[in-house]
Amino acid sequence: MNNPEPSHDPQQGGIFPRTYQVAVRALCEFTAKAGDLDLRFTPSPSAQEGITGHATVASRRGDGYRNEIALSGAYRGLLVRGRADGYDPALNQLEEVKTHRDALDRMPDNHRALHWAQAKIYGWLFCQAEKLSELRLALVYYDIVSARETVFSELFQAEALRHFFETQCEIFLDWAEQERAHRFARDQALTKLQFPYPSFRSGQRTLAEAVYRAVGAGRPLLAEAPTGIGKTLGTLFPMLKAMAPQSLDRVFYLAAKTPGRRLALEALDRLRECAPGLPLRVLELVAREKACEHSDKTCHGESCPLARGFYDRLPAAREAALAGRLDQEGVWAAALDHQVCPYYLAQELARWADVIVGDYNYYFDLHAMLYALAVSSQWRIGVLVDEAHNLVERARGMYTAALDPAVFDAARRSAPAVLKKPLERVQRCWSALHKEQDAPYRTMEEAPQKLTTALQKALAAIDDHLVESPPGLDRALQDFFFQAMHFCRMAELFDEHSLFDIRAVPGARRSRSALTIRNVVPAPFLRPRYEAACSTVLFSATLRPGRFYRDMLGLPPDTCGIEVDSPFTSDQLAVRVVDRISTRFRHRDASLSPIVQLMADQFAKASGNYLAFFSSFDYLDQVAGLFEARCPHIPTWRQERRMDESARHAFLAQFAAGGRGIGFAVLGGAFGEGIDLPGERLIGAFIATLGLPQVNPVNERIRERIDALLGAGYDYTYFYPGLLKVVQAAGRVIRTEKDRGVVFLIDDRFSRPEVLHLLPRWWDVGVIRALPVPIVDDMNSDHVDSRCPAMP
């Protein structure tokens, strides 16, 4: 729904909307959906596959065919609008095109009924616009695998279509009136909203003003804002203030990890505490595995009781949920009270929430629900991307697809007889690729067409089996199903921004290799996301250099940029580069003793809690073992491989205020960012690595491809990602304006100008020349003989 058309309301002293706008699809999904939640008609095509399918259908039509026809019509203050897929004047036929990849006789009846409802709404809007007395409507189902069309058509009188249109509008009107009043009250309240603290923190107002200006200009913003200024509130507050003047329908707050989402929810709670009665619907979206009540069942009425009759009970559940809090607990309670699925209730509530807090994947993924809703509903949206330095790797992962031979072998062993033949065809194509392998790792210029075709046929066979077997798929077969589905979709989108690589897997059955469509530059996939938003604000404490993020994330040329000054000062943190030690692999053994001596001497001068970061678990264990042998009186604790959540909490609990000891961790791991250890909980860090990714065949091919596309292949593959991890890890030491600490950067390469230029400007950076290593026991050590130049 877009911003309603306003009018003056003297009783409320503001502007009250005369009309409420709703998209055709949203109207029909509200009024015409009934029966069970049923996801067996899968896998549904992606948005890109849908666009391609629609274009293919249009290209097959004759001269005079019109496609993407903008239509609108009003009824009692309700404005309904959308785009009809196509009109064939020779047949006087308006077409509603739907893409699919499954046998149509598997489609649930309530899906087909919804499609007819959409066609009829478009039919009346078209008859009204063209002054037609009758019109043939056609549902065109296009199979993206076989490229075949199946058409269902029927002739309708305009009067019948008008009656259907008005009936659906009548059903929706009460809800529309409620939503119109909510939108008016929300915008009025946000216009008057005050910052929830007496004053902004240092740098926070600068950030807030930049966000507000970017939204007003309709441009993206790349904002580097340091820890400690309150970035969460500093971005949310101006975005909310911009909702009314910029006619924003929704705000999406996207975070990489759960702590980021929690901070956003806490900031929004603080705003509501300071503005009692603020009519702001804040929805928290969580992963399916965290919301699902019946993980052992499949999503249809014959299997899951919360899917049975879902759409029949949805209206009451929706109304109850919107009357309370929409965080995970609130949605869960409303769902179970009305016996509907909590996960899919939350997805339905996304249509009516004002602010939606969730993971990156809800907007940036190939099948992102929020992106699809924003486009289909023609919303004006503002997008906030927290800790945006994570988006490069996260987006790469979203658009990378792998086939694991172990997963495939398990699927073949558990597959029923009906699936043996299609899976054997996949095995033959896969083995043929392996036979061509003349090295442990190689890449190909194109995705393998024969294998992709075999996978598509196997998917169709598995899907037929799933429909005929209500209890659902065996877990092994299901794992392969989802791997193959994603692989096929990425194969269809394969271009120069990705690689197809084959890696030999020692011990794999039938001597097969692991196959990967590996995204290198996610920019082409992300650009449509920025285009769909009024403004996208990407913010983090570490976004240097800006050109790296602009190139890799595909930000448009008019993207604004800002670097917010830190509230911290150079006397809070002493950063010491130890340039007489090399942590390169070939020098590793020689580095152990000097590093241990450095740590022991520093601890003797200023005991407290320290973190020590290393490039790998092996290196960590070598240094920790030697340190524990030489300094048994100093408490130590280590990050272990594959630590679960409770183990990670136990590791962090060792950093108690007033405590003393050294925690050993891997750079870029769970403790390198996103943890908060203020005050005496952490007074220093030792970083014994430049953080560069390993030089291996995969990274070398990535470097070569980036070099060909963007230049700077080494910097984009190794240097910038490595230094990002260093700065993030060092940022654990100073969390508040009262903190004091020290960071040792242990490697001679840290003294190079190109490294020093990318370190935060407020750091007090000095290079230690002499050995034995001088010790820092205050923040103004005399043992420093050179000072880092200011970054240009």
Side-chain angles (χ1 to χ4, degrees):
M1 267 54 63
N2 283 351
N3 193 32
E5 183 183 347
S7 66
H8 186 72
D9 186 333
Q11 291 185 338
Q12 301 208 39
I15 301 298
F16 193 77
R18 285 198 302 263
T19 61
Y20 184 84
Q21 298 180 15
V22 62
V24 170
R25 179 173 177 175
L27 172 66
C28 293
E29 287 179 341
F30 188 93
T31 64
K33 267 191 172 180
D36 294 351
L37 175 69
D38 193 337
L39 302 185
R40 286 177 292 181
F41 191 68
T42 55
S44 59
S46 67
Q48 185 58 48
E49 290 168 335
I51 292 170
T52 302
H54 281 68
T56 301
V57 171
S59 69
R60 294 174 174 178
R61 302 300 186 255
D63 294 339
Y65 186 80
R66 298 161 56 188
N67 65 331
E68 291 295 312
I69 307 163
L71 297 170
S72 65
Y75 178 78
R76 291 183 54 195
L78 185 65
L79 180 63
V80 182
R81 65 181 194 174
R83 291 183 179 273
D85 290 324
Y87 173 68
D88 188 338
L91 300 175
N92 188 31
Q93 179 169 287
L94 190 72
E95 297 181 335
E96 176 71 7
V97 180
K98 300 294 182 184
T99 54
H100 70 102
R101 59 164 79 234
D102 193 8
L104 281 178
D105 57 2
R106 309 295 191 195
M107 178 183 287
D109 291 340
N110 58 353
H111 288 207
R112 183 73 55 79
L114 176 63
H115 298 162
W116 272 119
Q118 293 174 355
K120 290 176 182 179
I121 297 294
Y122 282 124
W124 165 245
L125 298 178
F126 190 77
C127 285
Q128 184 183 46
E130 301 292 324
K131 297 181 171 52
L132 300 177
S133 60
E134 64 179 18
L135 178 67
R136 181 169 292 277
L137 299 180
L139 293 180
V140 180
Y141 291 99
Y142 176 79
D143 189 326
I144 64 170
V145 177
S146 67
R148 290 195 299 266
E149 294 179 32
T150 303
V151 180
F152 301 94
S153 67
E154 186 175 343
L155 183 65
F156 289 88
Q157 298 300 309
E159 186 61 23
L161 295 175
R162 182 186 66 80
H163 178 72
F164 181 84
F165 170 79
E166 292 179 354
T167 300
Q168 305 310 302
C169 289
E170 283 288 348
I171 296 172
F172 189 73
L173 272 174
D174 286 344
W175 185 265
E177 185 61 33
Q178 171 186 310
E179 290 303 292
R180 184 164 53 175
H182 168 76
R183 174 64 175 264
F184 175 72
R186 183 201 76 181
D187 286 352
Q188 289 289 295
L190 291 179
T191 300
K192 301 173 184 176
L193 184 66
Q194 298 295 312
F195 193 68
Y197 295 98
S199 63
F200 287 87
R201 295 184 190 177
S202 175
Q204 194 176 36
R205 175 180 283 277
T206 302
L207 174 62
E209 290 174 347
V211 172
Y212 192 83
R213 287 195 300 268
V215 180
R219 297 166 62 184
L221 172 66
L222 190 65
E224 184 177 77
T227 298
I229 70 166
K231 294 189 291 292
T232 306
L233 193 56
T235 53
L236 270 169
F237 178 71
M239 186 66 82
L240 293 176
K241 292 293 289 183
M243 287 191 80
Q246 301 305 324
S247 300
L248 296 184
D249 299 298
R250 305 288 185 276
V251 169
F252 300 157
Y253 189 101
L254 309 172
K257 300 175 182 178
T258 300
R261 298 193 291 277
R262 286 292 166 205
L263 285 174
L265 293 169
E266 289 169 6
L268 290 160
D269 280 344
R270 176 62 180 167
L271 285 167
R272 287 187 289 196
E273 288 171 6
C274 296
L278 177 66
L280 190 70
R281 298 170 179 166
V282 178
L283 172 67
E284 179 186 11
L285 294 176
V286 299
R288 183 185 302 196
E289 56 267 23
K290 293 183 178 180
C292 183
E293 283 292 300
H294 298 287
S295 57
D296 59 327
K297 297 177 172 59
T298 51
C299 297
H300 58 85
E302 296 174 29
S303 176
C304 179
L306 300 183
R308 190 178 308 123
F310 176 89
Y311 292 108
D312 300 328
R313 294 191 293 274
L314 175 60
R318 177 174 54 216
E319 189 166 357
L322 290 176
R325 291 178 60 88
L326 299 181
D327 56 7
Q328 182 179 0
E329 293 76 17
V331 172
W332 179 85
L336 296 194
D337 281 349
H338 293 82
Q339 285 299 288
V340 296
C341 172
Y343 178 73
Y344 285 102
L345 174 59
Q347 298 214 352
E348 291 290 334
L349 292 170
R351 304 169 191 276
W352 315 108
D354 302 307
V355 180
I356 301 172
V357 179
D359 188 86
Y360 289 169
N361 64 285
Y362 282 105
Y363 190 72
F364 290 109
D365 190 69
L366 183 63
H367 304 286
M369 181 264 290
L370 291 180
Y371 172 68
L373 268 180
V375 172
S376 64
S377 301
Q378 302 177 56
W379 287 339
R380 284 178 57 80
I381 59 171
V383 179
L384 297 171
V385 184
D386 182 29
E387 299 293 353
H389 64 273
N390 288 301
L391 186 55
V392 175
E393 284 305 312
R394 283 290 305 276
R396 277 177 166 173
M398 293 172 194
Y399 297 98
T400 290
L403 292 177
D404 185 336
V407 172
F408 179 65
D409 287 338
R412 292 188 68 226
R413 288 194 298 270
S414 66
V418 69
L419 298 178
K420 296 294 185 183
K421 185 174 181 180
L423 292 178
E424 283 291 343
R425 188 182 298 113
V426 172
Q427 187 269 321
R428 288 194 298 271
C429 294
W430 198 330
S431 295
L433 287 170
H434 179 81
K435 289 177 182 177
E436 299 172 4
Q437 189 85 346
D438 55 4
Y441 176 84
R442 70 185 178 106
T443 60
M444 296 173 59
E445 293 302 315
E446 296 180 350
Q449 186 57 50
K450 289 183 179 179
L451 175 65
T452 301
T453 300
L455 287 169
Q456 289 172 337
K457 292 180 178 178
L459 285 170
I462 294 172
D463 195 51
D464 288 345
H465 171 69
L466 176 61
V467 172
E468 295 167 359
S469 306
L473 291 177
D474 170 85
R475 178 59 184 268
L477 196 57
Q478 186 180 72
D479 289 345
F480 170 71
F481 178 83
F482 287 118
Q483 276 196 5
M485 181 172 65
H486 189 46
F487 189 92
C488 288
R489 288 175 172 172
M490 294 316 304
E492 293 166 358
L493 299 172
F494 188 85
D495 66 5
E496 63 181 359
H497 295 87
S498 298
L499 300 170
F500 172 66
D501 60 41
I502 307 174
R503 178 176 55 85
V505 179
R509 294 187 65 199
R510 298 180 182 269
S511 300
R512 272 191 306 282
S513 302
L515 310 178
T516 305
I517 295 175
R518 190 181 308 278
N519 179 249
V520 176
V521 180
F525 297 111
L526 303 184
R527 286 191 187 106
R529 272 54 177 174
Y530 310 131
E531 294 168 359
C534 177
S535 178
T536 301
V537 177
L538 303 98
F539 58 98
S540 170
T542 46
L543 289 175
R544 294 187 181 196
R547 67 180 182 277
F548 169 70
Y549 293 97
R550 291 170 187 263
D551 288 346
M552 296 299 287
L553 298 178
L555 290 165
D558 68 343
T559 298
C560 308
I562 184 174
E563 181 183 339
V564 180
D565 290 336
S566 175
F568 307 139
T569 58
S570 61
D571 64 348
Q572 290 183 254
L573 180 69
V575 181
R576 300 299 179 246
V577 173
V578 185
D579 78 341
R580 290 296 186 266
I581 297 177
S582 167
T583 63
R584 296 170 182 83
F585 185 78
R586 62 182 180 275
H587 302 144
R588 191 146 300 168
D589 289 344
S591 74
L592 301 180
S593 184
I595 291 174
V596 167
Q597 187 63 49
L598 168 69
M599 295 168 64
D601 290 348
Q602 175 60 29
F603 194 89
K605 286 290 184 180
S607 66
N609 290 325
Y610 291 83
L611 263 170
F613 292 98
F614 300 89
S615 57
S616 67
F617 281 103
D618 289 340
Y619 196 14
L620 180 158
D621 289 336
Q622 285 181 288
V623 177
L626 183 59
F627 185 89
E628 289 162 0
R630 290 187 180 180
C631 309
H633 60 287
I634 300 177
T636 62
W637 49 97
R638 305 187 196 184
Q639 177 182 356
E640 303 291 344
R641 292 174 172 85
R642 294 178 291 277
M643 293 176 81
D644 59 21
E645 189 171 353
S646 62
R648 292 195 296 270
H649 282 309
F651 181 91
L652 292 175
Q654 301 273 9
F655 295 91
R660 53 192 298 275
I662 300 177
F664 289 78
V666 172
L667 190 71
F671 307 111
E673 66 172 287
I675 62 169
D676 203 23
L677 300 171
E680 292 183 350
R681 294 190 66 189
L682 185 68
I683 67 168
F686 305 93
I687 303 176
T689 172
L690 203 63
L692 303 181
Q694 185 182 47
V695 176
N696 58 35
V698 175
N699 283 335
E700 280 298 281
R701 284 297 289 123
I702 290 174
R703 177 188 62 77
E704 292 168 5
R705 181 58 57 89
I706 292 178
D707 225 10
L709 293 174
L710 301 170
Y714 175 82
D715 288 345
Y716 281 26
T717 305
Y718 297 103
F719 181 41
Y720 298 148
L723 202 58
L724 165 67
K725 291 183 285 186
V726 170
V727 175
Q728 281 287 326
R732 301 312 95 200
V733 177
I734 303 298
R735 308 302 292 174
T736 75
E737 295 180 25
K738 296 180 180 180
D739 290 348
R740 297 290 186 273
V742 60
V743 170
F744 289 92
L745 303 179
I746 307 171
D747 192 279
D748 61 286
R749 290 167 290 181
F750 280 117
S751 64
R752 294 177 179 176
E754 61 269 26
V755 174
L756 295 174
H757 279 314
L758 290 174
L759 300 180
R761 288 188 298 182
W762 67 273
W763 280 9
D764 170 25
V765 180
V767 180
I768 297 173
R769 300 294 187 192
L771 287 177
V773 177
I775 305 308
V776 177
D777 56 5
D778 61 72
M779 299 305 105
N780 297 288
S781 172
D782 294 330
H783 296 292
V784 178
D785 68 3
S786 67
R787 187 68 181 262
C788 170
M791 184 175 66

